[in-house]
Amino acid sequence: MTEPCLIELDPSVPNAGGTLTDRLFDALQRAIVEGEMPQGSKISEPELARRYGVSRGSLREAIARLEACKLVERKPNLGARVVELSAEQLIEIFQLREALEGMAARLAATAMTEAEIDALGALLAQHGQQIEQEQGQAYFQKQGDLDFHFRIVQGSKNRQLIALLCEDLYHLLRMYRVQFGMRSKRCRQAFEEHQYLLNALRSRDPEMAELVMRQHVRSSRRNLEQALR
Amino acid sequence: MTEPCLIELDPSVPNAGGTLTDRLFDALQRAIVEGEMPQGSKISEPELARRYGVSRGSLREAIARLEACKLVERKPNLGARVVELSAEQLIEIFQLREALEGMAARLAATAMTEAEIDALGALLAQHGQQIEQEQGQAYFQKQGDLDFHFRIVQGSKNRQLIALLCEDLYHLLRMYRVQFGMRSKRCRQAFEEHQYLLNALRSRDPEMAELVMRQHVRSSRRNLEQALR
DNA sequence: GACGACTAAATTGTCGACACACCAAGGGTC
DNA sequence: GACCCTTGGTGTGTCGACAATTTAGTCGTC
């Protein structure tokens, strides 16, 4: 396991960005998502505490938060391990997304402001350009798609939905993208589906928005299921 | 605030049911849900630690878990407070439920075993009897409905869905039921809708199961929205 | 009388140390 | 030779104490 280095933890200004536990949580989350701490690897509290130069108490609180995000699994008296990603779990997550983002799209169709919809349109236009030029595909794969979905969830204005998707599931999903190297060839089709969705939002049609979003997520899932064999 | 007493924390057998933090979490969760700790009230770490006879470290870990369940809100250097329930948040939660339990019903239609469906039928028959005799209404209101939904979620066999609904949202929802005294007169109608759902499951019809469940949750929500004015 | 700065008390954040539980290696018995 | 018990070591669970930050109260000044 490559050293998740402790530099980010004691920058010149102490306590930059909240409490120590917060920064630890961010650092560990990044390390896990990026794969610096391999799946299923044991998390030794004394070792990590030494490595990051913090006490075990703060570290344990950070680990507790990671557990809430489903990024680590902890068993009493046995310690914590980084989660093991599996095809089954990924499918389950996409089923969740289909339900949640479908509802998000439905709500966004009436809750988004005109300005937000326009901004979404601008983002999509940008994506279109990048795809046209066959460049920036990497960006679209890695960030663009997530950005688009992110904004729709925000647009639902439902705080429960936002917290769930953008704070918990988001990172787990990102972990799959990074470690499974999920770069489907659906990029063009996904772009088209995004445009259909934008149209539904522009027409303020909740029913249609949910339908399109669910179909979109379901297509991604089917594509995945096929790629996983 | 009535004293959440520390008796449950040191029963004859030490460590009955996991780690100290686990038991603390359970006790606090119960105290919050039941309303022993009022909404919005500040959670003083030294005071609670003294009251329960535990160290602040263990207490803080328990509070961190409560935060993950959305039962308390914590701000850096300011401490934690019990969440404030609001009509808006309740509506948002029901929108979540509509999406999630709808998906759960869809999956359950193909994933539940015949035995599980039969057991669900037995449970429903029992509910029917209780309603017929005009007795046990309190039970149906408080537990029966939740039990029914609980089993369907379990029946989906989707672990993400199960964890989300049965471990996180469940308690928050129970808090609303207890503290808002939510006992709608929809009891008979809800029972009928439960039966429609059972039929859909028996026919192994995912589409219909999701439709009925969503309609069911949506009706509850509309009923609530009306009652809240 | 009201506003602002300073002081003191209380609370949160962080740490190091002790107690107990789990795990692996070694020795004894059948 | 295989199995069980013992025993040492590592790691987690829990605790009490120190440091930093917020808050409340007080005093002084305008």
mmCIF file of all heavy atoms in Angstrom, chain B residues 99-130:
data_model
loop_
_atom_site.group_PDB
_atom_site.id
_atom_site.type_symbol
_atom_site.label_atom_id
_atom_site.label_comp_id
_atom_site.label_asym_id
_atom_site.label_seq_id
_atom_site.Cartn_x
_atom_site.Cartn_y
_atom_site.Cartn_z
ATOM 1 N N ALA B 99 -39.991 6.783 -3.497
ATOM 2 C CA ALA B 99 -39.027 6.265 -4.464
ATOM 3 C C ALA B 99 -38.426 4.942 -4.002
ATOM 4 O O ALA B 99 -38.398 3.959 -4.748
ATOM 5 C CB ALA B 99 -37.920 7.294 -4.699
ATOM 6 N N LEU B 100 -37.960 4.920 -2.768
ATOM 7 C CA LEU B 100 -37.225 3.752 -2.274
ATOM 8 C C LEU B 100 -38.126 2.538 -2.081
ATOM 9 O O LEU B 100 -37.798 1.435 -2.517
ATOM 10 C CB LEU B 100 -36.526 4.093 -0.962
ATOM 11 C CG LEU B 100 -35.370 5.078 -1.086
ATOM 12 C CD1 LEU B 100 -34.827 5.454 0.284
ATOM 13 C CD2 LEU B 100 -34.264 4.456 -1.933
ATOM 14 N N GLU B 101 -39.246 2.738 -1.421
ATOM 15 C CA GLU B 101 -40.107 1.584 -1.161
ATOM 16 C C GLU B 101 -40.795 1.132 -2.437
ATOM 17 O O GLU B 101 -41.118 -0.054 -2.588
ATOM 18 C CB GLU B 101 -41.129 1.929 -0.071
ATOM 19 C CG GLU B 101 -40.461 2.288 1.248
ATOM 20 C CD GLU B 101 -41.376 2.109 2.439
ATOM 21 O OE1 GLU B 101 -42.330 1.305 2.364
ATOM 22 O OE2 GLU B 101 -41.148 2.781 3.461
ATOM 23 N N GLY B 102 -40.998 2.056 -3.360
ATOM 24 C CA GLY B 102 -41.508 1.653 -4.661
ATOM 25 C C GLY B 102 -40.539 0.685 -5.318
ATOM 26 O O GLY B 102 -40.932 -0.384 -5.799
ATOM 27 N N MET B 103 -39.272 1.049 -5.324
ATOM 28 C CA MET B 103 -38.259 0.162 -5.887
ATOM 29 C C MET B 103 -38.183 -1.142 -5.101
ATOM 30 O O MET B 103 -38.045 -2.227 -5.688
ATOM 31 C CB MET B 103 -36.896 0.869 -5.873
ATOM 32 C CG MET B 103 -35.736 0.030 -6.360
ATOM 33 S SD MET B 103 -35.925 -0.621 -8.042
ATOM 34 C CE MET B 103 -35.608 0.842 -9.032
ATOM 35 N N ALA B 104 -38.289 -1.053 -3.784
ATOM 36 C CA ALA B 104 -38.248 -2.263 -2.954
ATOM 37 C C ALA B 104 -39.376 -3.208 -3.354
ATOM 38 O O ALA B 104 -39.157 -4.421 -3.511
ATOM 39 C CB ALA B 104 -38.353 -1.897 -1.477
ATOM 40 N N ALA B 105 -40.572 -2.675 -3.551
ATOM 41 C CA ALA B 105 -41.702 -3.520 -3.931
ATOM 42 C C ALA B 105 -41.455 -4.154 -5.291
ATOM 43 O O ALA B 105 -41.717 -5.332 -5.505
ATOM 44 C CB ALA B 105 -42.980 -2.688 -3.946
ATOM 45 N N ARG B 106 -40.915 -3.351 -6.223
ATOM 46 C CA ARG B 106 -40.610 -3.888 -7.552
ATOM 47 C C ARG B 106 -39.669 -5.077 -7.450
ATOM 48 O O ARG B 106 -39.919 -6.136 -8.032
ATOM 49 C CB ARG B 106 -39.962 -2.795 -8.402
ATOM 50 C CG ARG B 106 -39.330 -3.307 -9.689
ATOM 51 C CD ARG B 106 -38.591 -2.194 -10.419
ATOM 52 N NE ARG B 106 -39.502 -1.256 -11.027
ATOM 53 C CZ ARG B 106 -39.933 -1.367 -12.293
ATOM 54 N NH1 ARG B 106 -39.541 -2.372 -13.042
ATOM 55 N NH2 ARG B 106 -40.758 -0.466 -12.783
ATOM 56 N N LEU B 107 -38.601 -4.911 -6.681
ATOM 57 C CA LEU B 107 -37.628 -5.991 -6.560
ATOM 58 C C LEU B 107 -38.218 -7.175 -5.796
ATOM 59 O O LEU B 107 -37.973 -8.336 -6.131
ATOM 60 C CB LEU B 107 -36.377 -5.480 -5.838
ATOM 61 C CG LEU B 107 -35.606 -4.380 -6.571
ATOM 62 C CD1 LEU B 107 -34.458 -3.865 -5.720
ATOM 63 C CD2 LEU B 107 -35.080 -4.898 -7.900
ATOM 64 N N ALA B 108 -38.999 -6.862 -4.757
ATOM 65 C CA ALA B 108 -39.567 -7.926 -3.931
ATOM 66 C C ALA B 108 -40.473 -8.833 -4.762
ATOM 67 O O ALA B 108 -40.571 -10.029 -4.506
ATOM 68 C CB ALA B 108 -40.331 -7.335 -2.756
ATOM 69 N N ALA B 109 -41.120 -8.254 -5.770
ATOM 70 C CA ALA B 109 -42.050 -9.043 -6.582
ATOM 71 C C ALA B 109 -41.357 -10.235 -7.235
ATOM 72 O O ALA B 109 -41.979 -11.266 -7.473
ATOM 73 C CB ALA B 109 -42.694 -8.163 -7.647
ATOM 74 N N THR B 110 -40.074 -10.107 -7.497
ATOM 75 C CA THR B 110 -39.371 -11.250 -8.087
ATOM 76 C C THR B 110 -38.426 -11.926 -7.101
ATOM 77 O O THR B 110 -38.078 -13.079 -7.284
ATOM 78 C CB THR B 110 -38.554 -10.816 -9.329
ATOM 79 O OG1 THR B 110 -37.585 -9.856 -8.932
ATOM 80 C CG2 THR B 110 -39.447 -10.204 -10.390
ATOM 81 N N ALA B 111 -38.034 -11.210 -6.056
ATOM 82 C CA ALA B 111 -37.012 -11.759 -5.164
ATOM 83 C C ALA B 111 -37.578 -12.481 -3.949
ATOM 84 O O ALA B 111 -36.898 -13.316 -3.358
ATOM 85 C CB ALA B 111 -36.070 -10.642 -4.695
ATOM 86 N N MET B 112 -38.799 -12.164 -3.546
ATOM 87 C CA MET B 112 -39.342 -12.802 -2.349
ATOM 88 C C MET B 112 -39.626 -14.283 -2.597
ATOM 89 O O MET B 112 -40.057 -14.669 -3.688
ATOM 90 C CB MET B 112 -40.644 -12.113 -1.923
ATOM 91 C CG MET B 112 -40.441 -10.920 -1.011
ATOM 92 S SD MET B 112 -42.018 -10.138 -0.545
ATOM 93 C CE MET B 112 -42.232 -10.792 1.106
ATOM 94 N N THR B 113 -39.417 -15.093 -1.583
ATOM 95 C CA THR B 113 -39.750 -16.510 -1.702
ATOM 96 C C THR B 113 -41.244 -16.690 -1.459
ATOM 97 O O THR B 113 -41.900 -15.822 -0.878
ATOM 98 C CB THR B 113 -38.980 -17.337 -0.662
ATOM 99 O OG1 THR B 113 -39.460 -16.980 0.639
ATOM 100 C CG2 THR B 113 -37.493 -17.045 -0.722
ATOM 101 N N GLU B 114 -41.752 -17.833 -1.897
ATOM 102 C CA GLU B 114 -43.169 -18.123 -1.661
ATOM 103 C C GLU B 114 -43.468 -18.094 -0.166
ATOM 104 O O GLU B 114 -44.500 -17.590 0.275
ATOM 105 C CB GLU B 114 -43.533 -19.499 -2.237
ATOM 106 C CG GLU B 114 -43.488 -19.560 -3.758
ATOM 107 C CD GLU B 114 -44.592 -18.730 -4.417
ATOM 108 O OE1 GLU B 114 -45.642 -18.544 -3.772
ATOM 109 O OE2 GLU B 114 -44.391 -18.246 -5.544
ATOM 110 N N ALA B 115 -42.538 -18.639 0.622
ATOM 111 C CA ALA B 115 -42.731 -18.680 2.079
ATOM 112 C C ALA B 115 -42.865 -17.272 2.641
ATOM 113 O O ALA B 115 -43.733 -16.996 3.477
ATOM 114 C CB ALA B 115 -41.562 -19.407 2.736
ATOM 115 N N GLU B 116 -42.018 -16.374 2.171
ATOM 116 C CA GLU B 116 -42.061 -15.002 2.676
ATOM 117 C C GLU B 116 -43.389 -14.343 2.317
ATOM 118 O O GLU B 116 -43.988 -13.626 3.127
ATOM 119 C CB GLU B 116 -40.891 -14.195 2.099
ATOM 120 C CG GLU B 116 -39.547 -14.541 2.732
ATOM 121 C CD GLU B 116 -38.382 -13.866 2.016
ATOM 122 O OE1 GLU B 116 -38.452 -13.656 0.787
ATOM 123 O OE2 GLU B 116 -37.394 -13.554 2.697
ATOM 124 N N ILE B 117 -43.845 -14.587 1.106
ATOM 125 C CA ILE B 117 -45.112 -14.005 0.685
ATOM 126 C C ILE B 117 -46.261 -14.567 1.523
ATOM 127 O O ILE B 117 -47.150 -13.820 1.957
ATOM 128 C CB ILE B 117 -45.357 -14.267 -0.810
ATOM 129 C CG1 ILE B 117 -44.298 -13.537 -1.647
ATOM 130 C CG2 ILE B 117 -46.747 -13.781 -1.218
ATOM 131 C CD1 ILE B 117 -44.495 -13.659 -3.133
ATOM 132 N N ASP B 118 -46.206 -15.877 1.788
ATOM 133 C CA ASP B 118 -47.244 -16.478 2.620
ATOM 134 C C ASP B 118 -47.251 -15.859 4.010
ATOM 135 O O ASP B 118 -48.297 -15.537 4.571
ATOM 136 C CB ASP B 118 -47.036 -17.995 2.715
ATOM 137 C CG ASP B 118 -47.355 -18.685 1.399
ATOM 138 O OD1 ASP B 118 -48.053 -18.067 0.569
ATOM 139 O OD2 ASP B 118 -46.912 -19.839 1.198
ATOM 140 N N ALA B 119 -46.057 -15.686 4.572
ATOM 141 C CA ALA B 119 -45.952 -15.084 5.909
ATOM 142 C C ALA B 119 -46.538 -13.678 5.897
ATOM 143 O O ALA B 119 -47.231 -13.263 6.836
ATOM 144 C CB ALA B 119 -44.492 -15.044 6.355
ATOM 145 N N LEU B 120 -46.271 -12.963 4.827
ATOM 146 C CA LEU B 120 -46.812 -11.614 4.707
ATOM 147 C C LEU B 120 -48.341 -11.662 4.656
ATOM 148 O O LEU B 120 -49.033 -10.841 5.284
ATOM 149 C CB LEU B 120 -46.265 -10.959 3.433
ATOM 150 C CG LEU B 120 -46.446 -9.445 3.315
ATOM 151 C CD1 LEU B 120 -45.702 -8.740 4.419
ATOM 152 C CD2 LEU B 120 -45.963 -8.964 1.956
ATOM 153 N N GLY B 121 -48.857 -12.652 3.933
ATOM 154 C CA GLY B 121 -50.297 -12.813 3.878
ATOM 155 C C GLY B 121 -50.874 -13.076 5.252
ATOM 156 O O GLY B 121 -51.912 -12.517 5.632
ATOM 157 N N ALA B 122 -50.210 -13.932 6.022
ATOM 158 C CA ALA B 122 -50.671 -14.238 7.378
ATOM 159 C C ALA B 122 -50.697 -12.975 8.227
ATOM 160 O O ALA B 122 -51.656 -12.705 8.962
ATOM 161 C CB ALA B 122 -49.754 -15.283 8.009
ATOM 162 N N LEU B 123 -49.637 -12.184 8.119
ATOM 163 C CA LEU B 123 -49.566 -10.930 8.879
ATOM 164 C C LEU B 123 -50.739 -10.027 8.521
ATOM 165 O O LEU B 123 -51.407 -9.456 9.401
ATOM 166 C CB LEU B 123 -48.248 -10.212 8.574
ATOM 167 C CG LEU B 123 -48.019 -8.900 9.335
ATOM 168 C CD1 LEU B 123 -47.779 -9.178 10.806
ATOM 169 C CD2 LEU B 123 -46.843 -8.129 8.754
ATOM 170 N N LEU B 124 -51.023 -9.947 7.227
ATOM 171 C CA LEU B 124 -52.114 -9.090 6.776
ATOM 172 C C LEU B 124 -53.453 -9.587 7.315
ATOM 173 O O LEU B 124 -54.301 -8.792 7.758
ATOM 174 C CB LEU B 124 -52.151 -9.046 5.253
ATOM 175 C CG LEU B 124 -51.681 -7.759 4.611
ATOM 176 C CD1 LEU B 124 -51.994 -7.755 3.136
ATOM 177 C CD2 LEU B 124 -52.313 -6.567 5.302
ATOM 178 N N ALA B 125 -53.647 -10.909 7.266
ATOM 179 C CA ALA B 125 -54.893 -11.480 7.776
ATOM 180 C C ALA B 125 -55.088 -11.088 9.234
ATOM 181 O O ALA B 125 -56.177 -10.713 9.670
ATOM 182 C CB ALA B 125 -54.855 -13.003 7.631
ATOM 183 N N GLN B 126 -54.000 -11.157 9.961
ATOM 184 C CA GLN B 126 -54.037 -10.781 11.381
ATOM 185 C C GLN B 126 -54.435 -9.322 11.537
ATOM 186 O O GLN B 126 -55.284 -8.978 12.356
ATOM 187 C CB GLN B 126 -52.658 -11.046 11.985
ATOM 188 C CG GLN B 126 -52.564 -10.827 13.482
ATOM 189 C CD GLN B 126 -51.111 -10.925 13.938
ATOM 190 O OE1 GLN B 126 -50.303 -11.619 13.302
ATOM 191 N NE2 GLN B 126 -50.774 -10.232 15.014
ATOM 192 N N HIS B 127 -53.852 -8.472 10.730
ATOM 193 C CA HIS B 127 -54.216 -7.056 10.781
ATOM 194 C C HIS B 127 -55.701 -6.885 10.496
ATOM 195 O O HIS B 127 -56.388 -6.109 11.151
ATOM 196 C CB HIS B 127 -53.405 -6.267 9.744
ATOM 197 C CG HIS B 127 -51.971 -6.099 10.118
ATOM 198 N ND1 HIS B 127 -51.024 -5.598 9.249
ATOM 199 C CD2 HIS B 127 -51.317 -6.376 11.261
ATOM 200 C CE1 HIS B 127 -49.854 -5.576 9.838
ATOM 201 N NE2 HIS B 127 -50.000 -6.044 11.063
ATOM 202 N N GLY B 128 -56.169 -7.627 9.498
ATOM 203 C CA GLY B 128 -57.578 -7.532 9.143
ATOM 204 C C GLY B 128 -58.478 -7.856 10.323
ATOM 205 O O GLY B 128 -59.423 -7.116 10.615
ATOM 206 N N GLN B 129 -58.167 -8.941 11.004
ATOM 207 C CA GLN B 129 -58.943 -9.320 12.187
ATOM 208 C C GLN B 129 -58.973 -8.195 13.210
ATOM 209 O O GLN B 129 -60.023 -7.797 13.712
ATOM 210 C CB GLN B 129 -58.328 -10.564 12.835
ATOM 211 C CG GLN B 129 -58.799 -11.877 12.230
ATOM 212 C CD GLN B 129 -58.355 -13.053 13.058
ATOM 213 O OE1 GLN B 129 -57.315 -12.998 13.704
ATOM 214 N NE2 GLN B 129 -59.148 -14.111 13.048
ATOM 215 N N GLN B 130 -57.776 -7.683 13.495
ATOM 216 C CA GLN B 130 -57.678 -6.645 14.524
ATOM 217 C C GLN B 130 -58.517 -5.429 14.172
ATOM 218 O O GLN B 130 -59.167 -4.837 15.023
ATOM 219 C CB GLN B 130 -56.224 -6.245 14.725
ATOM 220 C CG GLN B 130 -55.409 -7.326 15.414
ATOM 221 C CD GLN B 130 -53.944 -6.970 15.486
ATOM 222 O OE1 GLN B 130 -53.464 -6.142 14.715
ATOM 223 N NE2 GLN B 130 -53.235 -7.584 16.415
#
